[in-house]
Amino acid sequence: MKPMLIAEDLRLERSGREIFHIENLTIQQGEVLALVGPNGAGKSSLLLTLAMLETPSGGVVRFAGEAALNGNRLGMRRRMAVVFQEAMLLDTSVQRNITIALRIRGVASGEAAQRAQKWLDRFGIGHLARRPARQLSGGEAQRASLARAFALEPEVLFLDEPFAALDYPTRKALLNELGPMLKGMNMTALFVTHDYTEIPYLAQRVAVLYEGRIIKCGSVVEVFGEEILSRRIWVPWED
Ligand SMILES: Nc1ncnc2c1ncn2[C@@H]1O[C@H](COP(=O)(O)OP(=O)(O)OP(=O)(O)O)[C@@H](O)[C@H]1O
Ligand SMILES: [Mg+2]
């Protein structure tokens, strides 16, 4: 096992308040770590800090063996991708939402167009490539957002409650597709969720954050017990 992302004595303070203090947290290469905890525990703040979108007040984040510093944070950020609860699509076509993100990262336009189509197809929305992104349904928009993240070929994928705004059938369909996709690509990911039933679909390990501290960390079964494995998302017309 090779550590991909390490937080060491990592702290974030805002307005004179400590938002989190993480003594040690490691995400191994190829593993999906779920991060759970109540509202306000600091999950999003920790995710943003690990994704180099927030600068910590103390401690260090190591990414692929290298400590993040002011001089290399932007470069590291560009090797990662984040999907939020809101799809955050630009007011242009679905395809351009992806190609713009790729062009910013220096991908040539032909290659960007090809990658965009490949990932839209993989997420089952290839036929929506030319549609204005703002016209998509919630589920389609989140598929587009995931396609954009995957098209970036990130070394770490961050998911901050990406399914929270979706209905159960849409959620279940996406989780069923995403699980094998992450595994097949050996993707390293941090998955923040409120809904524990989502965890076994994607994650191997879980960290529980409470008032800014990791109070528990272990395999999905160690943290939740065997029952979690049989609690699948229930869709009345499928069962
Ligand atoms: N810029 C900021 N200034 C002051 N306080 C902040 C700032 N950003 C976040 N906080 C506070 O930090 C705490 C953690 O917020 P965060 O959004 O990380 O929690 P969360 O676990 O993601 O919650 P939720 O489950 O509601 O998404 C909250 O109390 C929040 O009000
Ligand atoms: Mg949050």
Side-chain angles (χ1 to χ4, degrees):
M1 278 202 296
K2 198 172 132 212
M4 182 58 112
L5 205 58
I6 305 176
E8 276 172 19
D9 200 25
L10 192 68
R11 287 183 299 107
L12 183 72
E13 282 165 22
R14 288 290 177 263
S15 320
R17 229 188 93 217
E18 186 177 272
I19 309 290
F20 64 72
H21 184 177
I22 308 298
E23 276 161 26
N24 212 297
L25 183 69
T26 301
I27 309 180
Q28 304 290 347
Q29 183 169 28
E31 122 177 297
V32 179
L33 177 74
L35 181 65
V36 301
N39 287 132
K43 304 181 296 296
S44 297
S45 306
L46 177 56
L47 179 144
L48 292 172
T49 308
L50 294 174
M52 317 280 164
L53 293 165
E54 285 270 14
T55 308
S57 315
V60 67
V61 177
R62 285 183 204 284
F63 171 53
E66 204 185 332
L69 304 165
N70 288 336
N72 62 8
R73 237 180 226 112
L74 179 64
M76 287 183 174
R77 188 189 304 164
R78 293 197 166 153
R79 294 161 62 190
M80 306 171 168
V82 189
V83 177
F84 298 97
Q85 182 173 331
E86 300 293 324
M88 307 253 200
L89 299 173
L90 305 173
D91 193 9
T92 177
S93 73
V94 172
Q95 189 198 31
R96 269 183 55 79
N97 263 276
I98 301 179
T99 54
I100 288 169
L102 287 169
R103 299 287 286 136
I104 289 171
R105 296 192 187 202
V107 177
S109 63
E111 156 97 16
Q114 233 171 32
R115 270 208 236 169
Q117 197 56 48
K118 170 180 140 185
W119 283 104
L120 288 171
D121 287 339
R122 288 230 189 149
F123 278 98
I125 53 166
H127 59 292
L128 300 177
R130 284 176 212 296
R131 282 265 289 275
R134 295 275 161 92
Q135 285 179 10
L136 300 182
S137 73
E140 290 164 349
Q142 208 49 306
R143 282 176 184 275
S145 179
L146 284 162
R148 179 173 59 189
F150 276 80
L152 297 174
E153 298 178 354
E155 287 166 65
V156 182
L157 176 65
F158 293 92
L159 304 164
D160 193 353
E161 305 199 45
F163 313 116
L166 307 178
D167 62 28
Y168 274 113
T170 307
R171 229 182 249 214
K172 188 174 173 185
L174 259 175
L175 284 162
N176 273 327
E177 291 169 46
L178 201 53
M181 227 183 245
L182 291 171
K183 207 164 263 159
M185 297 169 74
N186 202 31
M187 183 76 91
T188 308
L190 181 72
F191 173 46
V192 172
T193 181
H194 265 120
D195 186 340
Y196 301 160
T197 56
E198 291 181 355
I199 292 173
Y201 286 86
L202 303 188
Q204 294 83 50
R205 249 172 11 108
V206 185
V208 182
L209 192 67
Y210 184 77
E211 294 182 354
R213 304 276 176 151
I214 305 272
I215 56 162
K216 214 166 184 182
C217 190
S219 73
V220 174
V221 169
E222 275 164 1
V223 173
F224 289 104
E226 294 280 348
E227 313 85 77
I228 188 80
L229 301 178
S230 53
R231 289 222 200 123
R232 306 306 257 188
I233 290 170
W234 186 64
V235 179
W237 52 89
E238 284 179 5
D239 295 298

